[in-house]
Amino acid sequence: MKTHSIAIIKGDGIGHAVIDSAWEVLQTVAKGSGFALEGTALPWSCAHYKDTGAMMPADGIDTLRRFDAILLGAVGWPAEVPDSVSLHGLLLPIRKAFEQYANVRPHRLLPGVEGPLRRGGFDILCVRENTEGEYAGAGGRVHQGTAQEVAVETGVFTRMGVERILRFAFVQARARRGKLASVTKSNAQKHSMVFWDEITRQLAAEHPDVEVTSYHVDAMAARMVTNPDSLDVVVASNLFGDILTDLGAAIQGGLGFAASANLNPSRNARSMFEPVHGSAPDIAHLGVANPIAAIWSGAMMLEHLGEQTAADRVMAALGETTGRGVGTIPGKDRTDAITAAVLSALS
Ligand code: NAD
Ligand code: IPM
Ligand code: MN
């Protein structure tokens, strides 16, 4: 039987509950679909940091290379470990080391989910640059603690980095409804964002079948609320994509529904699948985290592993669950009840 080996990093807070739920669903669908998933849980987290002084071992990246994919819950427990330590010690290095340059985040309403806009009809695929840009980590601080203190954080945009994420987005647009929205802030940021717009125009000439529109990020934020059905694929830099995808999550009913895939499209290193949301310290341990985003991320992992039928079955089960009104209203149903409903829809 075909076996896929999966590294499981539950991380912190609700990462545990949502990944336990997703893993149960994934195991169930695998059994009924003729393949196996072999999971290895890695305890890397803020708790691990407190025990060992590191978010993951020094050879953590090498350990991850042994698996076919990575399933991650959430990282961060700011009451005990600063986010600037925890995220830079685990999540962000994985995205960079494995060149998971395309962070793909779908935003659409599952059946029965109303969303705050009280309108359906939108189906947006956000493609977020995931390895450079505003998250490059270039910068520093001098004269710390004095009145002359300076902090610099430089965005890094390379032709290779911008071109590859735009090319990936063009491919997605071609496979969908043929529309690509490229998001920058080139009216204010006259170097990097003008550069991004230029490369967008160059690639648009190579893709005459794709309708390309450039938007400023502020206008895009408004459009996603007022006219989301006008959008198909939205491509943006690392930070803009981060912000717009929490907005995308909001319009699809909340962070409990927003899934994501950190893809290495050339497949020369592993990809990682995780919900958009974080560890949600405010609701951790209450048993009410919505596992749907994690389960949907698991479906994206199955698709990436070539198990399309199983991925479709998971998405159908999610749709049946929410279509019956389970998991649709934040906080109404417990994690266990939503998981049970998805499992029963699968059987
Ligand atoms: P968050 O996404 O954890 O929570 C934001 C809000 O959404 C909270 O009110 C939370 O209760 C709610 N929420 C999130 N997921 C939910 C779910 N599945 N079901 C129901 N409600 C849900 O964002 P935050 O509070 O800004 O961050 C908390 C911690 O998580 C921080 O340490 C942050 O850095 C980290 N974080 C990690 C990731 C990640 O690992 N990918 C993503 C975002 C934030
Ligand atoms: C996300 C998160 C991360 C990001 C944080 C936790 C560093 O918000 O995956 O959206 O900004 O990429
Ligand atoms: Mn985010």
Side-chain angles (χ1 to χ4, degrees):
M1 194 190 304
K2 189 164 190 192
T3 301
H4 304 286
S5 63
I6 311 298
I8 303 171
I9 305 172
K10 297 178 193 177
D12 300 297
I14 65 166
H16 288 261
V18 300
I19 292 301
D20 285 346
S21 166
W23 189 247
E24 201 176 344
V25 170
L26 293 171
Q27 284 290 358
T28 303
V29 76
K31 280 196 189 94
S33 308
F35 65 94
L37 292 174
E38 190 184 276
T40 301
L42 301 165
W44 306 344
S45 59
C46 289
H48 188 74
Y49 179 88
K50 293 197 77 183
D51 288 345
T52 67
M55 292 297 292
M56 64 174 157
D59 62 353
I61 295 291
D62 282 334
T63 299
L64 291 175
R65 286 187 213 284
R66 297 204 290 267
F67 298 91
D68 296 321
I70 305 159
L71 183 65
L72 184 139
V75 179
W77 200 254
E80 294 183 3
V81 182
D83 279 353
S84 58
V85 171
S86 58
L87 277 314
H88 285 274
L90 184 52
L91 178 75
L92 298 172
I94 298 173
R95 290 178 181 168
K96 284 181 187 162
F98 291 148
E99 285 198 77
Q100 296 165 351
Y101 67 81
N103 190 330
V104 175
R105 299 182 158 185
H107 302 297
R108 61 177 191 272
L109 290 167
L110 290 176
V113 180
E114 204 172 26
L117 303 181
R118 304 277 185 272
R119 67 193 272 187
F122 63 87
D123 179 357
I124 301 171
L125 191 73
C126 271
V127 173
R128 165 189 179 191
E129 202 294 316
N130 214 28
T131 53
E132 57 170 39
E134 308 88 340
Y135 282 44
R141 284 170 67 174
V142 288
H143 310 306
Q144 265 171 276
T146 72
Q148 290 74 37
E149 185 160 2
V150 180
V152 176
E153 187 110 25
T154 307
V156 175
F157 290 80
T158 65
R159 183 170 286 276
M160 183 194 77
V162 175
E163 191 172 326
R164 70 184 179 181
I165 194 63
L166 286 169
R167 284 196 185 279
F168 179 88
F170 272 101
V171 170
Q172 302 305 309
R174 266 192 177 151
R176 288 169 48 101
R177 300 190 301 282
K179 283 175 69 171
L180 179 62
S182 172
V183 180
T184 63
K185 185 65 187 170
S186 51
N187 50 356
Q189 295 187 297
K190 64 182 184 176
H191 305 299
S192 55
M193 294 287 156
V194 169
F195 176 57
W196 179 296
D197 282 354
E198 270 172 29
I199 300 177
T200 303
R201 279 195 298 276
Q202 285 163 12
L203 296 185
E206 285 180 31
H207 301 79
D209 51 320
V210 176
E211 185 193 321
V212 186
T213 312
S214 287
Y215 295 95
H216 296 307
V217 65
D218 44 357
M220 176 56 74
R223 175 171 288 267
M224 282 177 66
V225 173
T226 57
N227 211 4
D229 38 336
S230 67
L231 298 165
D232 179 9
V233 176
V234 173
V235 61
S237 64
N238 212 331
L239 180 62
F240 292 173
D242 175 49
I243 298 166
L244 290 176
T245 53
D246 258 40
L247 178 51
I251 66 170
Q252 76 187 124
L255 277 160
F257 296 98
S260 89
N262 300 272
L263 298 179
N264 173 318
S266 60
R267 291 182 183 255
N268 58 13
R270 299 313 178 217
S271 293
M272 176 165 67
F273 302 82
E274 51 159 345
V276 170
H277 64 72
S279 59
D282 56 340
I283 59 159
H285 312 306
L286 295 182
V288 295
N290 188 346
I292 290 178
I295 298 170
W296 189 336
S297 305
M300 294 175 86
M301 181 177 82
L302 294 180
E303 191 179 335
H304 180 77
L305 292 169
E307 305 293 355
Q308 185 66 54
T309 310
D312 292 345
R313 284 187 61 205
V314 172
M315 290 312 296
L318 284 181
E320 199 178 311
T321 300
T322 55
R324 282 199 257 118
V326 178
T328 51
I329 298 169
K332 182 173 78 66
D333 297 304
R334 300 184 61 80
T335 313
D336 288 350
I338 300 171
T339 310
V342 178
L343 291 171
S344 106
L346 271 179
S347 59

